[in-house]
């Protein structure tokens, strides 16, 4: 074995902005002596646990490329393959989680270029695909699908026709693409090689003997090899059966330094982490990038496609956000934004209350349904009620093609990738980011006075790095977790947006660790909950809002005066909070205070995770809970 060593998960994560965490679609590639079609199909099966809505494969048939693809389960693609049992020495395959264009046969990958000689699979989002598509249409290209991928295939095909190798064409084309993506190509002109480019979206190469493989995630490779090259950001590979060339984005040769993977398959599915929850917590920088991708233009303006037209936004007089659990907590932050930025009256309802509450609804109101799964029974029932009353509906949903995504008048996708841990983490962050983008979009339409959209979008774009920094406080969080694990009760407190985040922090703690929690705005403590404070009780404060910091510090004193212990999560760099609290986690601040509240959920998620771990809880499957609550 070359360079045999095990890289711990933390190092994998730190490796690049993108890490090896795979958010969305599954990618597979093979070149070698075996039947490549069988191998890539098998790779997709190994990636099946991550969820998808369609799948396809491209392989060499005679002197051309053959593509077979199908919406639905992999077994549907399997049936198609079973009809002809194709063989090929090279193939690429893809399982898709739809972003641009619905989950249909036509939108499934691979896509072909104009000549039909080049096939492409793709993970991530090409932000400027509409501009590129316009140019290609003017040059006579015709498109079959609604995807950004087909646009990229045509663009690369155009470059390929200008001459040179496939990798040279890809380098030229990649310079024209904006976004976070990975691209994998198979060409009938150079049939014995696979070329791939990584820009943020993960790609790994499996190095074999007389064969080489490619995948979006390590588990797909493990039946074939444990020697793996993890592509860095902005690099590419050229695979033949006997060689792996590793190149920089501008074509310079780079050393191939594989690592040896010792994880079993189950652990590899979790990206090397012990639990999906920890993996998903650490995915959040990428989740935010993915959620923002294509939604902020070069001048810093928000570009949300698929929402209502401008005259509708000018007419709306009230917003109702309707959701359950964690999604409801994201809605609470939405209320802050809609009211503060837009002065638009906003209520947040639990779906289960809304559906039976006979709500008073203005005909000009907008109902926003927030849901990771898009299948939550109460939220779906509330949506039906609004539709029956002819109220405009908008979904903020993670699962494309889900009931809520289908039934809302308009739907925005959070693009957080499949969330497998029962406790929601990354979906929450993506929901909050999308609500922020929506508020900014409406502000732009309404020309909200005094609001500089570009300041907001600049800070949103900086958020992934701040989340990464917040994740780096894990050791401090573990120390606090040691303290909390034996406590009978844990408070979660804050003011303004920090109070909304405190609700979510508390939900995570109770569902994972089973430690009872009390959560409330800090100012409410003296109206009752303070009676519960005594020695041995911990209060976790979100303390990011500067305007109320003195008040929050006073609330901390109230806890300490009754022998409770105060843990503060703050972005205050003046030392005020640190002096007041017993334990402080200080995050690097955003210039936008609201985003500091959003950031504070990261230490809270890690805290509940580590308390649960120390208590030996079943972290990915807390007792009595299900991932998707499709019954009342
Ligand atoms: C908590 C959690 C739940 C869900 C709630 C709504 O960690 O995951 O509270 O947020 O069941 O589910 P969705 O978002 O699928 O509608």
């Amino acid at each position: 074995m070359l360079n045999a060593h095990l890289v711990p998960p933390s190092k994998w994560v730190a490796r690049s902005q993108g890490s090896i965490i795979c958010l969305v679609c599954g990618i597979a590639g093979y070149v070698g002596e075996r039947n490549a079609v069988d191998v890539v199909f098998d790779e997709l099966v190994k990636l099946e646990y991550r969820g998808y809505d369609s799948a396809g494969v491209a392989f060499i048939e005679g002197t051309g490329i053959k593509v077979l693809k199908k919406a639905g389960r992999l077994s549907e693609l399997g049936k198609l393959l079973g009809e002809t049992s194709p063989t090929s020495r090279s193939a690429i395959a893809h399982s898709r989680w739809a972003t641009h264009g619905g989950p249909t046969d036509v939108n499934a990958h691979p896509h072909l270029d104009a000549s039909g000689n080049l096939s492409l699979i793709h993970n991530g989002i090409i932000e400027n695909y509409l501009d590129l598509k316009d140019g290609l249409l003017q040059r006579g290209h015709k498109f079959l699908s609604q995807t950004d991928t087909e646009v990229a295939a045509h663009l690369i095909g155009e470059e390929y026709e200008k001459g040179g190798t496939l990798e040279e064409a890809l380098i030229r084309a990649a310079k024209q693409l904006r976004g976070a993506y990975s691209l994998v190509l198979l060409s009938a002109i150079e049939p014995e090689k696979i070329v791939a480019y990584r820009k943020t979206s993960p790609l790994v190469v499996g190095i074999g003997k007389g064969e080489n493989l490619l995948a979006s995630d390590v588990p797909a490779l493990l039946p074939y090899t444990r020697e793996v090259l993890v592509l860095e950001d902005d690099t590419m590979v050229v695979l033949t059966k006997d060689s792996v060339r590793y190149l920089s984005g501008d074509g310079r040769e780079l050393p191939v330094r594989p690592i040896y993977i010792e994880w079993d398959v189950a652990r590899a599915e979790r990206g090397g982490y012990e639990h999906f929850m920890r993996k998903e917590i650490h995915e959040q920088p990428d989740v935010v990038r993915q959620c923002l991708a294509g939604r902020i233009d070069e001048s810093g303006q928000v570009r949300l496609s698929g929402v209502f037209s401008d005259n509708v936004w000018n007419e709306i007089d009230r917003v109702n956000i309707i959701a359950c659990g964690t999604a409801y907590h994201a809605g609470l932050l939405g209320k802050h934004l809609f009211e503060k930025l837009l002065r638009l009256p906003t209520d947040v309802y639990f779906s289960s209350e809304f559906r039976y509450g006979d709500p008073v609804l203005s005909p000009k109101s907008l109902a926003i349904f927030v849901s990771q799964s898009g299948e939550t029974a109460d939220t779906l029932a509330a949506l039906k009620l609004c539709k029956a009353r002819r109220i405009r509906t908008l979904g903020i949903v993670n699962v494309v093609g889900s009931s809520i995504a289908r039934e809302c008048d308009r739907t925005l996708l959070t693009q957080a990738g499949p969330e497998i841990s029962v406790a929601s983490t990354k979906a929450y962050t993506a929901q909050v980011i999308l609500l922020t983008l929506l508020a900014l979009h409406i502000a732009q339409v309404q020309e909200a006075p005094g609001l500089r959209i570009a300041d907001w979008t600049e800070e949103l774009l900086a958020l992934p790095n701040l989340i990464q920094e917040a994740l780096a406080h894990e050791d401090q969080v573990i120390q606090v977790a040691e303290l909390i694990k034996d406590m009978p009760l844990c408070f979660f407190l804050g003011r303004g947006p920090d109070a909304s985040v405190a609700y979510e922090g508390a939900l995570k703690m109770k569902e994972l660790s089973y430690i009872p929690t009390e959560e409330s705005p800090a100012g409410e403590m003296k109206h009752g909950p303070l009676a519960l404070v005594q020695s041995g009780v911990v209060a976790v404060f979100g303390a990011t809002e500067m305007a109320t910091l003195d008040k929050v510090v006073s609330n901390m004193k109230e806890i300490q005066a009754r022998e409770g212990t105060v843990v503060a999560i703050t972005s205050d760099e003046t030392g005020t909070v640190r002096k007041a609290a017993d334990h402080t986690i200080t995050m690097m601040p955003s210039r936008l205070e609201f985003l500091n509240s959003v950031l504070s959920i990261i230490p809270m998620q890690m805290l509940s995770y580590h308390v649960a771990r120390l208590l030996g809880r079943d972290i990915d499957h807390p007792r009595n809970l299900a991932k998707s609550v499709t019954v009342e």
Side-chain angles (χ1 to χ4, degrees), residues 374-375 383 387 397 399-409 411:
E375 299 295 350
L383 166 58
K387 291 191 85 172
V397 178
V399 179
V400 75
S402 58
S403 304
I404 295 172
R406 283 197 318 267
E407 293 205 19
C408 280
D409 297 333
T411 296

Side-chain angles (χ1 to χ4, degrees), residues 239-288:
L239 305 184
T240 66
K241 82 181 176 52
D242 297 314
S243 67
V244 174
R245 282 178 67 211
Y246 187 33
L247 306 174
S248 66
D250 52 11
R252 278 176 297 109
E253 297 280 343
L254 299 171
V256 177
R257 294 207 179 97
I259 54 172
Y260 186 74
I261 303 282
E262 283 176 3
W263 308 326
D264 59 22
V265 171
R267 185 157 183 154
E269 286 178 351
R270 300 188 299 265
Y273 290 101
E274 309 87 309
H275 300 98
F276 278 109
M277 184 186 178
R278 184 151 179 253
K279 172 177 184 264
E280 286 161 5
I281 290 173
H282 282 267
E283 280 177 352
Q284 288 175 106
D286 280 346
V287 165
V288 173

Side-chain angles (χ1 to χ4, degrees), residues 324-327 370-374 376 422-424 431 507-508 511 629:
C324 301
T326 290
V370 186
S371 175
Q372 189 285 129
S373 63
T376 302
V422 166
S424 186
Q431 287 158 355
L507 180 64
K508 289 288 91 80
E511 65 183 332
V629 188

Side-chain angles (χ1 to χ4, degrees), residues 30 71 93 236 474 582 629:
Y30 176 87
M236 55 190 291
E474 197 155 9
D582 299 300
V629 188

